[in-house]
Amino acid sequence: MLSALIWGPILGAVLIAIIPNPGNDCYSRKIALGIMTAVAAISVVLAWQFDLSNPQMQFVEYHSWLPSLGLNYHLGVDGLSLPLLLLNSSLVLIAIFSTNLNLERPRFYYALLLLLSGGVAGAFLAQDLLLFFLFFELEIIPLYFLIAIWGGQRRGYAAMKFLLYTALSGFLVLVSFLGWFWLTKAPNFDYDPSLADALPIKTQMLLLLPLLVGLGIKIPIFPFHTWLPDAHVEASTPVSVLLAGVLLKLGTYGLLRFGLGLYLEAWVEFAPYLATLAAISALYGASCAIAQKDMKKVVAYSSIAHMGYILLAAAATTRLSVTAASAQMVSHGIISALLFLLVGVVYKKTGSRDVDKLQGLLTPERGLPITGSLMILGVMASAGIPGMVGFIAEFLVFRGSFPIFPVQTLLCLIGSGLTAVYFLLMINRVFFGRLTMELSHLPKVRWQEQVPAIALAVVIIVLGIQPHWLTQWSEPQTAVLLTGHPDLVSLPAPPRIEIEVKELGEV
């Protein structure tokens, strides 16, 4: 079933490309919707059959592919990757459903979306380092064309900037993986954390550094973030949904799976610097969001801030914080997708995203009351209001990180408080007040444009009320990710405790 999540969309892209055009461009949309509906259904079946008590890889597929290169077709799913697979299939389905029916070159567009879905799923499922890299690079190609062809006025600049940054990201990830393969003298590129135990700590740090930088570009973390606002502003609404909701998670997932999973000792050495970088990203992203006039840029810089929370939780390396990092990935994916969908509706109906030109859109008679109400719910979730999924994810991040990095956690808490500031400024300017004459005859929002946002809003509330449905997946996996020590609470703590006991014994 795992291969179906990868090759189903990829073969669907090929099918759309080779089937002769029957004269109706909607056929490519219908094929894409049908394939992604099937993929989403398979993801749900996997979740239904998933054994929560088993922290090991499940539904494993293993085939020797290129033995001379040490490359195997090795797939598996666990509690860390399964929620992201569900998120990927759901958001790609929403992106297809939300696409403008009058789109130019629809066959190429829907084929690229399916190719993107298959590449992302492959990266989440790969249990071979080189296989992960191949899928990690595969998603760059369709996303580049999706921005360059269907983007805004500066789409060429944004697409090329994205391409250069992510190409550098992939190169650094490959350097780290090749170094691991050569220095551990592994027979292949299979994911095996035990092999890194034989490496000296300095060698581990040397291999981890390019991986941190490469995946930090993908997340992105300050100061590697500059490509993200440009890509979001120029990308179409469905592409922004996927970029924020799924593609950024490749970076954070890679950090947990390969950075923390392979080089645990070196990770602990880098952890204080990563936590500090996370705090800087959170405050920088929030500060930049306050100064923005474009609604899309506000949400884009908000993503930079919230991805910093994931880095903070990963740096803390406690069982609670690693579980929280997984929950925050899913939470941010759902909330950011909702916000970008709603910003897209506002832009489509008003022709502007400028907060200084929009006003009174919450007016019931002639405005966008449902869109405005959903936007208020989305920003409340992003700001961490209790009863929504954003609250429980951020609470777990801060609760798990504070005992290890109290100063950095407090700084991230300030960034979380600033979330309410920049989103309230945006909401107050755009949706409240008197509707201007220029906006007094807005087109009605069709039900097709409201259903995806309503569905995401329902998920945000349900997971906020029942957070165990979100955290239950990664809880068993966390102990295995921390090198198989189920009772380990904090990695930096044990050496200090042993030293203290020894000194007391001598006394």
Side-chain angles (χ1 to χ4, degrees), residues 257-481:
R257 175 70 72 195
F258 303 106
L260 178 59
L262 290 179
Y263 308 109
L264 186 59
E265 294 181 15
W267 183 274
V268 173
E269 297 295 325
F270 280 115
Y273 306 102
L274 295 176
T276 302
L277 199 59
I280 294 173
S281 294
L283 293 176
Y284 175 83
S287 301
C288 289
I290 293 175
Q292 301 307 313
K293 301 296 183 182
D294 189 319
M295 295 177 67
K296 242 189 177 185
K297 278 195 173 183
V298 173
V299 182
Y301 278 107
S302 173
S303 291
I304 295 174
H306 283 77
M307 298 302 282
Y309 305 155
I310 302 175
L311 182 60
L312 173 69
T317 327
T318 66
R319 292 183 63 182
L320 179 59
S321 71
V322 175
T323 301
S326 176
Q328 177 66 10
M329 282 192 282
V330 179
S331 169
H332 175 264
I334 299 170
I335 295 171
S336 61
L338 173 63
L339 293 176
F340 276 114
L341 275 177
L342 297 173
V343 170
V345 172
V346 171
Y347 180 68
K348 184 177 181 180
K349 301 304 177 182
T350 65
S352 176
R353 296 191 302 259
D354 193 332
V355 297
D356 291 334
K357 296 181 180 179
L358 300 173
Q359 184 178 338
L361 295 184
L362 203 58
T363 303
E365 295 84 4
R366 296 172 296 168
L368 305 173
I370 297 179
T371 301
S373 301
L374 291 171
M375 179 67 79
I376 293 174
L377 184 145
V379 301
M380 289 172 63
S382 184
I385 300 299
M388 301 183 186
V389 68
F391 167 76
I392 189 61
E394 291 185 17
F395 175 79
L396 292 177
V397 167
F398 300 142
R399 177 64 183 86
S401 303
F402 183 79
I404 311 301
F405 300 115
V407 175
Q408 292 92 329
T409 302
L410 289 174
L411 291 175
C412 286
L413 274 168
I414 295 174
S416 179
L418 292 176
T419 304
V421 175
Y422 56 74
F423 273 139
L424 283 177
L425 288 174
M426 183 184 75
I427 290 292
N428 183 57
R429 294 175 183 176
V430 175
F431 291 96
F432 289 94
R434 180 174 295 180
L435 194 66
T436 60
M437 291 300 297
E438 293 81 2
L439 302 174
S440 58
H441 299 288
L442 295 178
K444 295 296 182 181
V445 181
R446 298 179 296 110
W447 70 270
Q448 294 93 334
E449 299 167 318
Q450 295 175 344
V451 168
I454 293 174
L456 291 175
V458 170
V459 174
I460 288 172
I461 295 174
V462 170
L463 292 181
I465 297 173
Q466 287 287 350
H468 180 64
W469 293 353
L470 176 62
T471 59
Q472 65 179 345
W473 306 103
S474 57
E475 284 177 341
Q477 175 62 26
T478 300
V480 173
L481 192 64

Side-chain angles (χ1 to χ4, degrees), residues 188-207:
N188 50 49
F189 282 91
D190 281 353
Y191 176 78
D192 186 358
S194 63
L195 293 176
D197 294 340
L199 297 177
I201 183 64
K202 291 185 178 180
T203 303
Q204 290 190 32
M205 294 174 66
L206 186 64
L207 294 175

Side-chain angles (χ1 to χ4, degrees), residues 30 58 61 75 78 85 100 112 132 136 146 152 184 223 236 250 252 281 292 321 348 400 403 413 422 424 466 501:
K30 293 177 181 178
Q58 302 182 36
E61 299 180 15
L75 305 180
D78 61 4
L85 287 172
N100 191 350
L112 290 175
F132 170 84
F136 186 81
L146 287 168
T184 60
S236 62
L250 288 175
T252 51
S281 294
Q292 301 307 313
S321 71
K348 184 177 181 180
L413 274 168
Y422 56 74
L424 283 177
Q466 287 287 350
V501 172

Side-chain angles (χ1 to χ4, degrees), residues 195-261:
L195 293 176
D197 294 340
L199 297 177
I201 183 64
K202 291 185 178 180
T203 303
Q204 290 190 32
M205 294 174 66
L206 186 64
L207 294 175
L208 179 58
L209 184 59
L211 187 65
L212 290 176
V213 176
L215 295 175
I217 295 173
K218 192 72 174 182
I219 291 175
I221 294 296
F222 176 90
F224 312 115
H225 66 282
T226 57
W227 65 269
L228 183 64
D230 291 321
H232 270 308
V233 169
E234 300 305 324
S236 62
T237 296
V239 176
S240 287
V241 167
L242 296 180
L243 180 58
V246 178
L247 295 172
L248 301 187
K249 309 309 178 291
L250 288 175
T252 51
Y253 170 81
L255 282 182
L256 292 175
R257 175 70 72 195
F258 303 106
L260 178 59

Side-chain angles (χ1 to χ4, degrees), residues 25 28 102-112 145 149-150:
D25 289 333
S28 55
N102 299 321
L103 182 77
E104 296 182 357
R105 304 174 67 181
R107 297 175 65 184
F108 191 31
Y109 174 86
Y110 291 115
L112 290 175
F145 284 112
I149 298 176
W150 293 275

